[in-house]
């Protein structure tokens, strides 16, 4: 049996720069792994794929991304199957790539269990078939993600800081957010290259100022609670705050752990979110 951790991500910058005829969006995003993770245990089976989990809401059959990842490897390389137990800790449908990171982890586990010796690049090529964020989740750390998410450039590690992540009790459909974006003219493109420079210069304050996400306007219009959470984080001393991915998870960057904790308590007391994590950027996975 092998046990692996599957880490969540946040987007420090997220821009949409085009749309393909198949509906996929061309993105430019700066991704960062954070210290919130699911734990997955894997055991070989003769051929079937079985999933158990502590989360009562998740699908356990073919709709689970873990299932899809395991089936992809099994059918392509004629391996046996796998029995997987998932301890879900990453908020679901939250903009933190929870499903994608489980899929990435499953590809790595199958590679290890069946001694396939696939390289990182080969795993990423398989991963993109499962979802646009899967190749990044295989790599982790700090990276620029382009194309539909498959063109990845590692960049310098994000400078050390505390991150408060808050997930309000609403579910946001990624598909809906992108559809709404298509019907709006994008007014404000975030400065993705500026963010990359700020990270490379290890300038947390510039980073905090350059945080930007084109999807935020769409989500905030429908769910003003995201803006309320951002405001509380800023009042409580965050250097900057942003919604991650298509939301609704929202994070703040803090230099001071006590301030991040105080902001978490305030957000909870106000009833704005009940899944709250004080964490840090993770650079090695
Ligand atoms: P992204 O940031 O990549 O848009 P997300 O964090 O918004 O992802 P997920 O947590 O990946 O969203 O979940 C999206 C949907 O995928 C959920 O509604 C869930 O039912 C389904 N799903 C399938 N497999 C999984 C999995 N292993 N973990 C979480 N969700 C899964």
């Amino acid at each position: 049996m092998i046990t692996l951790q599957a880490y969540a991500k946040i987007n420090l910058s997220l821009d949409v720069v085009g749309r393909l005829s198949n509906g996929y969006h061309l993105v430019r995003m700066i991704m960062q792994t954070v210290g919130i993770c699911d734990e997955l245990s894997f055991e070989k089976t003769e051929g079937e794929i079985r999933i158990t989990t502590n989360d009562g809401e998740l699908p356990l059959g073919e709709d689970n991304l873990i299932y899809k990842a395991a089936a992809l490897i099994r059918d392509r390389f004629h391996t046996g199957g796998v029995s997987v137990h998932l301890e879900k800790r990453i908020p679901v449908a939250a903009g933190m790539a929870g499903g994608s990171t489980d899929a990435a982890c499953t590809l790595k586990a199958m590679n290890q269990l069946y001694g396939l010796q696939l390289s990182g690049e080969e795993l990423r090529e398989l991963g993109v078939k499962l979802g646009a964020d899967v190749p990044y989740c295989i790599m982790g750390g700090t990276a620029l993600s382009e194309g539909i998410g498959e063109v990845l450039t590692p960049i310098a590690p994000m400078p050390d800081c505390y991150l408060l992540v808050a997930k309000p009790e609403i579910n946001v459909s990624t598909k809906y957010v992108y559809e709404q974006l298509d019907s709006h003219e994008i007014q404000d493109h975030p400065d993705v290259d500026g963010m990359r420079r700020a990270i490379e210069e290890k300038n947390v304050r510039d980073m905090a100022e350059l945080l930007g996400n084109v999807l935020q306007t769409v989500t905030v219009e429908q769910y003003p609670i995201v803006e309320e959470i951002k405001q509380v984080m800023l009042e409580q001393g965050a250097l900057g705050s942003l919604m991650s991915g298509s939301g609704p998870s929202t994070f703040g960057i803090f230099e001071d752990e006590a301030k991040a904790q105080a902001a978490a308590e305030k957000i909870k007391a106000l009833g704005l979110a009940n899944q709250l994590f004080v964490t840090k950027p993770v650079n090695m996975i």
Side-chain angles (χ1 to χ4, degrees):
M1 185 171 86
I2 53 174
T3 299
L4 298 174
Q5 255 100 38
Y7 285 89
K9 60 85 182 163
I10 55 171
N11 298 95
L12 299 170
S13 190
L14 192 163
D15 198 9
V16 174
V17 294
R19 188 168 181 272
L20 302 178
S21 53
N22 61 8
Y24 275 63
H25 289 79
L26 295 172
V27 292
R28 294 193 78 225
M29 314 189 278
I30 299 207
M31 324 283 284
Q32 175 64 51
T33 303
V34 297
I36 305 169
C37 60
D38 293 343
E39 191 168 276
L40 291 89
S41 305
F42 300 87
E43 255 176 301
K44 285 185 188 179
T45 68
E46 290 293 320
E48 74 278 42
I49 297 165
R50 283 192 298 269
I51 303 171
T52 56
T53 176
N54 64 326
D55 184 316
E57 309 277 305
L58 287 177
L60 296 178
E62 290 180 14
D63 287 339
N64 197 300
L65 280 159
I66 295 172
Y67 190 104
K68 290 190 181 18
L72 181 65
I73 296 271
R74 179 193 61 186
D75 300 344
R76 171 76 63 96
F77 299 99
H78 310 291
T79 65
V82 69
S83 165
V84 187
H85 180 74
L86 164 68
E87 277 295 314
K88 183 51 97 179
R89 301 193 202 115
I90 302 171
V92 175
M96 303 194 74
S100 304
T101 196
D102 290 347
C105 182
T106 303
L107 294 177
K108 287 184 190 172
M110 291 292 281
N111 191 28
Q112 222 173 300
L113 277 177
Y114 287 104
L116 299 173
Q117 298 190 315
L118 299 169
S119 65
E121 199 183 325
E122 286 169 306
L123 288 174
R124 291 196 291 274
E125 276 167 20
L126 288 167
V128 76
K129 297 180 198 302
L130 301 166
D133 282 344
V134 179
Y136 164 71
C137 290
I138 290 169
M139 187 168 88
T142 314
L144 172 66
S145 166
E146 296 173 292
I148 62 159
E150 84 292 16
V151 183
L152 293 167
T153 312
I155 57 184
M158 175 177 174
D160 196 27
C161 64
Y162 292 92
L163 297 166
L164 169 61
V165 178
K167 156 74 171 54
E169 283 308 284
I170 49 172
N171 288 316
V172 173
S173 145
T174 305
K175 190 163 168 274
Y176 170 83
V177 172
Y178 273 99
E179 275 167 10
Q180 290 300 306
L181 185 78
D182 290 339
S183 60
H184 287 60
E185 174 102 21
I186 299 178
Q187 306 284 359
D188 265 338
H189 286 278
D191 182 358
V192 179
D193 298 309
M195 175 60 79
R196 178 179 179 172
R197 276 194 300 279
I199 295 170
E200 285 168 348
E201 288 163 7
K202 302 243 166 287
N203 190 330
V204 179
R205 288 180 177 260
D206 278 2
M207 279 183 62
E209 267 181 34
L210 288 162
L211 291 170
N213 178 349
V214 282
L215 303 177
Q216 192 173 252
T217 326
V218 178
T219 307
V220 166
E221 238 171 56
Q222 214 197 353
Y223 301 108
I225 197 169
V226 170
E227 191 55 42
E228 290 176 51
I229 292 172
K230 288 177 61 181
Q231 287 312 321
V232 176
M233 289 201 190
L234 295 172
E235 281 160 24
Q236 298 291 315
L239 299 178
S241 175
L242 189 72
M243 185 184 84
S244 181
S246 52
S249 294
T250 301
F251 65 91
I253 298 182
F254 293 81
E255 280 178 322
D256 186 311
E257 187 176 13
K259 284 188 182 163
Q261 289 291 0
E265 275 152 37
K266 183 89 195 219
I267 289 167
K268 193 156 206 175
L270 290 169
L272 296 175
N274 63 1
Q275 291 186 79
L276 290 143
F277 307 83
V278 175
T279 184
K280 290 189 137 211
V282 170
N283 291 308
M284 293 295 291
I285 63 168

